[in-house]
């Protein structure tokens, strides 16, 4: 197991901890993914979410109709135009998710030490004695003593809205369980998770394929979150499916690791996927509590070294109903940043939580404080050692750009790119300053254009730590990408000045192509 042993940057003075945080145009390098739902789909709330720091919007198709999500997305587009902030779109599949169907939608009370039967007969009405499930093979998958969790929306760790069951016996297609804790379930659907048991359902279901080929294609989704990824073949099948849908050939696939099977095959999944989402809700059930921190550190270390985006979920569950996180949750967010997370994903907190905007703002502030004490020097040495020698041409340029930026205390790094790859490599070395990824388009574009060439690449950088995209237009579109165009560099520095991240006499490291050569140069802004 590779565990990232990063320490805090030293020395930290107690008096500096008590100083008020300084405001910045780029409030945090770590990105925030917000799940959109009933409490976060209006134009005003979405505008506030973008201003608070959300850069990726997650659409969870386990809940809500395509029409419902389309209305939300239309509001998001209006909000990006209003705030002049780009936002990427992530479609989250349902996958092989087990559900309890409550047609009557009445509250169901389960009492500890009692008995409840799980049945595949979905015609039955849910009650305190009987819970219909959407999987006929449950009885064949489980054995006596297995652990089953059932929760409203997601497992929050709050044992008043989720229940822990133990399989007592299997009767034909029914599973008889002992109730281990008292809980009340409310709503039409509850999620069911069987700890450490493989469920023989396809990772990409027919329903998922239908949603992707219709809704996903129509809206040209930036990311596909592949729920319950269990092996590398799952990612390959999903990519093959996307490649046949012309408009989604550029869509990046994030493997969502949710169970022990996904962890077991983590290395080969990481090789195939464009990024990883550690779904700690379900993982926290499959993995013993004392091992949770280990899989997080190990997985993030591997993602960092591979230069692939890592997203951590379930950090401030209590903010679903409260204005402040617990002390443990605040520490958890900071540790995710120190462990190397690119982004924090908020689920219930923004989907149905009472304080979606405040949650994003709070998480952003914690991320910003953690970034200030992130030991970049130690991390850089680890990354260089891992890559080894000889380095590839691009890797050498990227690491040199970050090293130069740190040495001269540059305010930002500007990287000219057409695909975004060079900028992502720079971000891999975790620079302590923003990286302005200047994507030179091949057609007229604006900061918030959802369809222009280059917009895909710009939005897809919004999940990577430290990357901030800027769309620029070459002087002559027929000549393609202008990697070394001084006029485009001026657009980038002017943007930095206008946004407040740059000021007179600041140093800037620029990574660009001149002819066939890649160059790292240091410039100092004049008055």
């Amino acid at each position: 197991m590779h565990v990232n042993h990063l320490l805090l940057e030293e020395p930290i003075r107690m008096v500096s901890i008590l100083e008020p945080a300084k405001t910045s145009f780029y409030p945090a390098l770590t990105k925030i993914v917000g799940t959109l739902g009933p409490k976060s789909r209006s134009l005003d709330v979405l505008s506030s979410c973008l201003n608070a720091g959300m850069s990726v919007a997650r659409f969870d198709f386990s809940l809500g109709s395509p029409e419902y999500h389309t209305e939300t997305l239309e509001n998001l587009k209006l909000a990006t135009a209003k705030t002049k902030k780009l936002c990427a779109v992530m479609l989250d599949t349902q996958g092989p998710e087990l559900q309890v169907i409550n047609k009557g939608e009445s509250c169901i009370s389960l009492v500890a030490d009692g008995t409840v039967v799980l049945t595949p007969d979905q015609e039955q009405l849910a009650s305190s004695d009987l819970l219909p499930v959407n999987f006929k093979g449950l009885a064949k998958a489980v054995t006596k003593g297995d652990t089953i969790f059932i929760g409203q929306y997601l497992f929050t760790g709050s044992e008043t809205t989720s229940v822990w069951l133990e399989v007592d016996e299997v009767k034909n297609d029914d599973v008889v369980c002992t109730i281990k804790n008292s809980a009340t379930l409310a709503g039409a659907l509850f999620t069911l998770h069987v700890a450490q048991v493989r469920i023989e359902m396809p990772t990409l279901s027919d329903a998922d394929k239908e949603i992707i080929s219709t809704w996903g294609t129509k809206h040209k989704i930036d990311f596909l979150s592949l729920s319950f990824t269990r092996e590398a073949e799952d990612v390959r099948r999903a990519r093959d499916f996307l490649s046949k849908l012309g408009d989604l050939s550029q869509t990046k696939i994030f493997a969502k690791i949710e169970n022990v099977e996904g962890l077991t095959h983590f290395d080969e999944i990481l090789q195939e996927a464009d990024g990883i989402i550690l779904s700690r809700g379900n993982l926290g059930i499959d993995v013993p509590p004392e091992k949770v921190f280990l899989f997080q550190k190990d997985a993030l270390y591997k993602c960092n070294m591979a230069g692939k985006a890592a997203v951590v979920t379930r950090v401030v569950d209590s903010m679903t109903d409260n204005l402040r996180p617990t002390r443990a949750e605040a520490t958890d967010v900071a540790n995710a940043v120190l462990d190397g997370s690119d982004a924090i994903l908020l689920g219930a907190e923004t989907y149905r939580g009472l304080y979606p905007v405040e949650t994003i703002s709070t998480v952003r502030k914690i991320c910003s404080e953690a970034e200030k004490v992130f030991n970049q020097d130690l991390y850089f040495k680890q990354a260089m050692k891992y890559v080894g020698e000889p380095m590839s041409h691009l890797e050498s340029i990227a690491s040199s750009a970050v090293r130069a930026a740190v040495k001269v205390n540059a305010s930002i790094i500007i990287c000219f790119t057409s695909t975004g790859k060079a900028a992502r490599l720079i971000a891999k070395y975790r620079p302590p300053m923003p990286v302005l990824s200047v994507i030179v388009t091949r057609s007229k574009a604006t900061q918030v254009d959802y369809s222009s060439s280059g917009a895909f690449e710009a939005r897809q950088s919004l999940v990577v730590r430290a990357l901030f995209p800027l769309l620029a237009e070459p002087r002559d579109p027929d000549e393609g990408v202008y990697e070394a165009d001084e006029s485009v560099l001026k657009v980038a520095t002017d943007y930095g000045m206008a946004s407040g991240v740059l000021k007179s006499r600041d140093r800037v490291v620029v990574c660009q192509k001149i002819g066939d050569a890649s160059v790292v140069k240091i410039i100092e802004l004049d008055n």
Side-chain angles (χ1 to χ4, degrees):
M1 178 178 282
H2 302 277
V3 177
N4 194 356
H5 295 290
L6 287 184
L7 302 173
L8 294 179
E9 186 179 16
E10 296 289 349
I12 299 171
R13 297 177 299 115
M14 187 58 72
V15 66
S16 70
I17 295 173
L18 302 176
E19 288 174 357
K22 294 176 182 175
T23 56
S24 165
F25 178 77
Y26 297 115
L29 302 180
T30 306
K31 304 303 176 64
I32 297 175
V33 182
T35 304
L36 303 188
K39 298 293 185 182
S40 54
R41 65 193 300 260
S42 71
L43 173 58
D44 287 346
V45 173
L46 285 168
S47 298
S48 297
C49 286
L50 292 170
N51 284 327
M54 180 181 79
S55 63
V56 181
R58 172 176 171 254
F59 292 79
D60 186 356
F61 275 82
S62 296
L63 302 152
S65 67
E67 294 75 23
Y68 178 87
H69 289 303
T70 297
E71 288 175 9
T72 306
L73 180 56
E74 290 305 318
N75 281 343
L76 177 65
K77 290 181 180 181
L78 291 172
T80 60
K82 180 181 176 182
T83 60
K84 293 184 169 52
K85 291 182 184 293
L86 276 176
C87 185
V89 172
M90 177 182 284
L91 188 159
D92 199 313
T93 63
Q94 182 172 325
E97 183 175 86
L98 302 185
Q99 295 177 330
V100 175
I101 290 89
N102 180 18
K103 286 183 178 178
E105 296 194 31
S106 56
C107 290
I108 297 169
S109 295
L110 300 171
V111 181
D113 300 325
T115 299
V116 67
V117 176
L118 305 180
T119 178
D121 184 359
Q122 295 182 37
E123 296 304 312
Q124 298 275 3
L125 282 178
S127 68
S128 299
D129 304 311
L130 189 74
L131 297 175
V133 298
N134 67 338
F135 180 50
K136 291 181 179 179
L138 184 63
K140 292 178 181 176
V142 300
T143 56
K144 183 178 173 64
D146 280 348
T147 298
I148 295 176
F149 285 85
I150 297 174
Q152 179 188 17
Y153 298 104
L154 300 164
F155 304 108
T156 62
S158 166
E159 299 309 329
T160 57
T161 58
S162 54
V163 67
W164 168 30
L165 309 176
E166 187 177 294
V167 176
D168 193 38
E169 63 174 317
V170 174
K171 285 185 177 179
N172 299 319
D173 289 337
D174 293 346
V175 179
V176 182
C177 300
T178 300
I179 302 165
K180 305 301 285 186
N181 68 286
S182 297
T184 300
L185 303 176
L189 288 175
F190 318 122
T191 305
L192 182 149
H193 182 81
V194 187
Q196 300 196 17
V197 171
R198 180 179 174 90
I199 300 301
E200 293 299 334
M201 293 168 71
T203 302
L204 203 59
S205 68
D206 289 341
D208 289 329
K209 289 179 179 178
E210 175 67 19
I211 290 294
I212 294 166
S213 60
T214 54
W215 196 92
T217 302
K218 180 181 177 183
H219 300 295
K220 296 181 180 177
I221 56 169
D222 302 296
F223 302 107
L224 178 71
S225 167
L226 191 61
S227 295
F228 294 95
T229 302
R230 295 169 286 192
E231 55 192 8
E233 188 59 29
D234 292 339
V235 182
R236 283 192 285 268
R237 287 196 194 103
R239 200 176 299 284
D240 184 55
F241 178 71
L242 290 181
S243 67
K244 292 172 182 173
L245 304 170
D247 288 340
L248 299 186
S249 57
Q250 284 182 274
T251 297
K252 295 202 177 296
I253 298 174
F254 274 52
K256 206 171 174 192
I257 308 298
E258 309 199 47
N259 53 28
V260 163
E261 202 171 351
L263 283 181
T264 304
H265 300 119
F266 186 86
D267 290 351
E268 50 264 44
I269 290 171
L270 178 60
Q271 203 168 350
E272 289 292 330
D274 297 303
I276 295 289
I277 298 174
L278 284 180
S279 184
R280 300 191 312 169
N282 286 344
L283 271 176
I285 293 167
D286 258 23
V287 178
E290 66 273 17
K291 301 283 188 183
V292 169
F293 80 98
L294 279 174
F295 79 65
Q296 174 171 313
K297 288 180 181 293
D298 187 36
L300 293 184
Y301 173 82
K302 287 176 175 177
C303 289
N304 291 166
M305 295 302 108
K308 294 190 176 181
V311 182
V312 168
T313 74
R314 310 304 302 279
V315 288
V316 286
D317 288 336
S318 72
M319 288 196 76
T320 304
D321 304 303
N322 298 290
L323 201 48
R324 284 170 64 90
T326 65
R327 291 163 296 283
E329 287 172 335
T331 305
D332 191 25
V333 174
N335 278 329
V337 174
L338 295 174
D339 286 345
S341 180
D342 283 86
I344 303 292
L345 189 154
L346 302 171
E349 305 96 324
T350 53
Y351 178 84
R352 61 184 173 89
L354 302 178
Y355 310 103
V357 178
E358 292 84 353
T359 302
I360 292 168
S361 180
T362 300
V363 169
R364 185 206 73 205
K365 288 175 186 174
I366 298 169
C367 290
S368 178
E369 289 298 315
E371 288 158 9
K372 292 173 187 174
V373 295
F374 179 77
N375 195 329
Q376 196 274 336
D377 183 54
L378 181 56
Y379 174 91
F380 187 89
K381 288 172 182 173
Q382 280 187 329
M384 293 290 282
K385 183 179 178 183
Y386 184 88
V387 171
E389 295 177 353
M391 274 186 163
S392 70
H393 179 80
L394 268 178
E395 197 94 42
S396 174
I397 290 292
S399 58
S400 297
V402 174
R403 177 177 286 172
V406 171
K407 294 289 185 189
V408 303
N409 195 24
S411 294
I412 61 168
I413 298 172
I414 296 176
C415 175
F416 292 93
T417 179
S418 55
T419 63
K421 184 179 179 182
R424 286 195 299 274
L425 265 181
I426 289 173
K428 170 184 171 179
Y429 288 91
R430 289 291 182 257
M433 68 287 294
V435 178
L436 199 57
S437 174
V438 181
I439 295 159
V440 186
T441 65
R442 292 175 296 279
S443 64
K444 192 168 179 61
T446 65
Q447 271 287 103
V448 291
D449 193 324
Y450 265 71
S451 59
S452 69
S453 169
F456 241 128
E457 292 84 352
R459 291 194 304 269
Q460 286 173 339
S461 67
L462 292 170
V463 78
V464 181
R465 185 149 143 189
L467 281 196
F468 296 89
L470 175 66
L471 296 183
E473 193 182 347
R475 288 176 305 187
D476 183 357
D478 294 333
E479 293 185 37
V481 177
Y482 257 81
E483 302 273 349
D485 188 342
E486 291 302 317
S487 67
V488 177
L489 176 58
K490 188 175 186 310
V491 169
T493 53
D494 284 351
Y495 174 73
M497 297 283 276
S499 63
V501 74
L502 282 179
K503 60 184 184 300
S504 179
R505 300 299 176 195
D506 275 1
R507 288 173 178 173
V508 175
V509 167
V510 181
C511 187
Q512 63 183 167
K513 267 190 176 181
I514 299 178
D516 293 331
S518 296
V519 176
V520 173
K521 65 181 183 181
I522 302 163
I523 61 173
E524 187 171 303
L525 301 180
D526 57 26
N527 290 322

